[in-house]
Amino acid sequence: MILKWYDKFSDKILIVWPTAIYYKVKDMLSKAYQQPDEFFVSKNDLLERKNNVEEIELQELVSDPLNAVPDLPFGHLNKAWNIFLKKRRKDDVIWTFSANRTSEWGRKELRTGYVLVRSSSVWPYFLKTWQYIE
């Protein structure tokens, strides 16, 4: 039964499959060169101005009774927090932010964290949470 079907359509399959591969490769390459939508913090996402790094670090201190997370501000993210602080200039102001977005897949997501505001422009951010909203 299968051999009869193959004999009947084999010449058409031989003609069609290179075309299918061509269009699949073309589709893959076009997606590879597209720039993904990068996340950014807008001025509308800003919540509260923070004046003191020590206050932030005290508020974000992680205390894990099982000692799986280091007792540091932001726990395992402490190294990333320190890198974020190294980008800070003298006149920069730290703000908290909360950003609701829709991903390219159509999922609602919420991202929160801290951002540097420099000369009324929003600059680098530190992402504290990223969660999907149902």
Side-chain angles (χ1 to χ4, degrees):
M1 177 80 175
I2 294 175
L3 290 176
K4 288 181 185 177
W5 178 85
Y6 181 77
D7 288 340
K8 186 175 180 182
F9 294 105
S10 64
D11 58 333
K12 292 173 180 68
I13 292 172
L14 289 174
I15 293 171
V16 172
W17 77 264
T19 306
I21 290 174
Y22 167 78
Y23 282 108
K24 181 62 179 174
V25 169
K26 182 179 174 185
D27 182 54
M28 289 170 50
L29 289 175
S30 69
K31 288 179 182 174
Y33 291 112
Q34 291 176 354
Q35 290 291 340
D37 292 339
E38 290 190 28
F39 174 75
F40 65 93
V41 179
S42 71
K43 290 181 182 179
N44 294 332
D45 299 327
L46 300 179
L47 296 177
E48 182 181 0
R49 180 184 174 140
K50 296 291 187 176
N51 296 321
N52 192 334
V53 173
E54 290 78 20
E55 179 184 317
I56 296 170
E57 291 181 340
L58 186 61
Q59 179 182 345
E60 300 293 347
L61 189 62
V62 174
S63 179
D64 181 14
L66 299 176
N67 294 323
V69 178
D71 292 336
L72 297 168
F74 301 100
H76 290 298
L77 296 176
N78 186 266
K79 184 176 180 180
W81 171 251
N82 288 321
I83 292 170
F84 170 75
L85 290 178
K86 286 180 183 176
K87 296 177 184 176
R88 185 177 179 206
R89 294 184 187 165
K90 183 179 178 182
D91 296 334
D92 289 352
V93 180
I94 299 176
W95 282 73
T96 60
F97 74 88
S98 178
N100 287 309
R101 301 285 192 274
T102 302
S103 71
E104 64 182 55
W105 299 98
R107 292 185 75 175
K108 303 269 186 209
E109 56 187 36
L110 172 68
R111 299 184 195 192
T112 63
Y114 297 90
V115 66
L116 297 177
V117 176
R118 182 178 300 157
S119 303
S120 73
S121 298
V122 177
W123 284 82
Y125 63 89
F126 173 76
L127 193 60
K128 180 178 141 183
T129 62
W130 181 357
Q131 60 190 19
Y132 293 108
I133 304 169
E134 297 295 324

